[in-house]
Amino acid sequence: AQRVTQPEKLLSVFKGAPVELKCNYSYSGSPELFWYVQYSRQRLQLLLRHISRESIKGFTADLNKGETSFHLKKPFAQEEDSAMYYCALSPYNQGGKLIFGQGTELSVKP
Amino acid sequence: DAGITQSPRHKVTETGTPVTLRCHQTENHRYMYWYRQDPGHGLRLIHYSYGVKDTDKGEVSDGYSVSRSKTEDFLLTLESATSSQTSVYFCAISRDRGSNEQFFGPGTRLTVL
């Protein structure tokens, strides 16, 4: 079965604290994984993808095939990071469709 | 905004009525997708299209149909709306299957009474 699980509905941290948003996947093959973000009153947009191994807005995510995880991390959270975060998987050769996790709402308090 | 618009942006309708949502793009992208967003479920794929007149089902396609008669428009139809179809509907586009980055529209909030 192809599935993405984000175990936390809500994650609340204080400004400057480290953040880790968890994502686990189930897929029998080499996955292509993404993190999308939706800020308040804005469209869903791509934050980062595992194949590019880049850091965007201070966020990084490492694919761990052994643990089937793709957790999103940031060492020092900022208030503007408050948003809804979705982990997504794109199965190979299936029209580019995305399978999303349930989403985690990140709230960064001052 | 990747040239994607959705119409209408908000709609309230009654159970049993037909509803059509429109997604329009100006990017000439080949792939287009319809998702629904519900609390606790994230986004779930309803249908997608990989070209004019070429469409396929997603994981929650029951009760929905789609049409794509030209590259820029992808229509989602609820033939007979039910309360379980109350949701926020997002359209997305992708340049090609290889890039896999999807660009999303602003969403349509549909309420079925």
Side-chain angles (χ1 to χ4, degrees):
Chain A
Q2 301 167 350
R3 188 169 58 246
V4 176
T5 303
Q6 295 178 248
E8 304 136 329
K9 282 183 63 174
L10 173 65
L11 188 61
S12 185
V13 301
F14 286 101
K15 177 183 174 182
V19 169
E20 183 179 53
L21 289 80
K22 291 184 167 48
C23 172
N24 289 92
Y25 66 90
S26 173
Y27 181 65
S28 57
S30 291
E32 187 165 5
L33 289 155
F34 305 82
W35 277 98
Y36 279 79
V37 61
Q38 188 175 28
Y39 300 102
S40 179
R41 297 190 185 87
Q42 294 188 28
R43 304 180 184 209
L44 201 69
Q45 58 187 282
L46 178 66
L47 180 62
L48 52 80
R49 68 180 83 184
H50 89 273
I51 57 172
S52 57
R53 300 183 64 83
E54 57 195 345
S55 173
I56 303 293
K57 299 185 179 182
F59 285 97
T60 60
D62 290 319
L63 176 60
N64 186 323
K65 291 186 179 181
E67 295 184 358
T68 59
S69 68
F70 188 55
H71 302 328
L72 184 68
K73 301 177 183 179
K74 185 170 183 176
F76 308 103
Q78 303 299 314
E79 290 180 69
E80 54 266 30
D81 296 329
S82 295
M84 195 74 180
Y85 291 80
Y86 292 97
C87 182
L89 178 152
S90 182
Y92 175 74
N93 205 26
Q94 291 190 30
K97 67 180 183 183
L98 293 172
I99 298 170
F100 284 88
Q102 303 92 321
T104 297
E105 182 182 354
L106 175 64
S107 174
V108 182
K109 301 183 188 307
Chain B
D1 291 343
I4 312 170
T5 56
Q6 292 183 231
S7 58
R9 294 293 313 281
H10 301 271
K11 187 170 181 67
V12 179
T13 191
E14 295 188 350
T15 298
T17 59
V19 176
T20 295
L21 309 182
R22 180 182 183 235
C23 177
H24 178 78
Q25 60 148 330
T26 59
E27 304 297 313
N28 205 36
H29 284 2
R30 178 181 174 191
Y31 291 84
M32 299 185 76
Y33 310 83
W34 276 108
Y35 295 90
R36 58 178 290 175
Q37 182 186 43
D38 303 289
H41 292 278
L43 281 82
R44 292 177 291 174
L45 182 66
I46 305 171
H47 282 281
Y48 66 102
S49 169
Y50 44 95
V52 173
K53 292 187 169 44
D54 291 323
T55 65
D56 206 349
K57 296 179 179 180
E59 73 176 293
V60 290
S61 60
D62 287 349
Y64 302 94
S65 62
V66 290
S67 66
R68 191 167 177 201
S69 59
K70 44 187 178 177
T71 300
E72 57 265 36
D73 288 325
F74 192 31
L75 304 181
L76 177 70
T77 298
L78 291 66
E79 300 290 347
S80 178
T82 67
S83 58
S84 64
Q85 293 175 312
T86 293
S87 187
V88 180
Y89 291 85
F90 287 97
C91 173
I93 64 175
S94 178
R95 182 185 313 112
D96 54 57
R97 189 176 59 198
S99 76
N100 280 336
E101 177 177 358
Q102 293 186 14
F103 300 92
F104 284 80
T108 294
R109 184 173 296 276
L110 176 67
T111 302
V112 183
L113 302 175

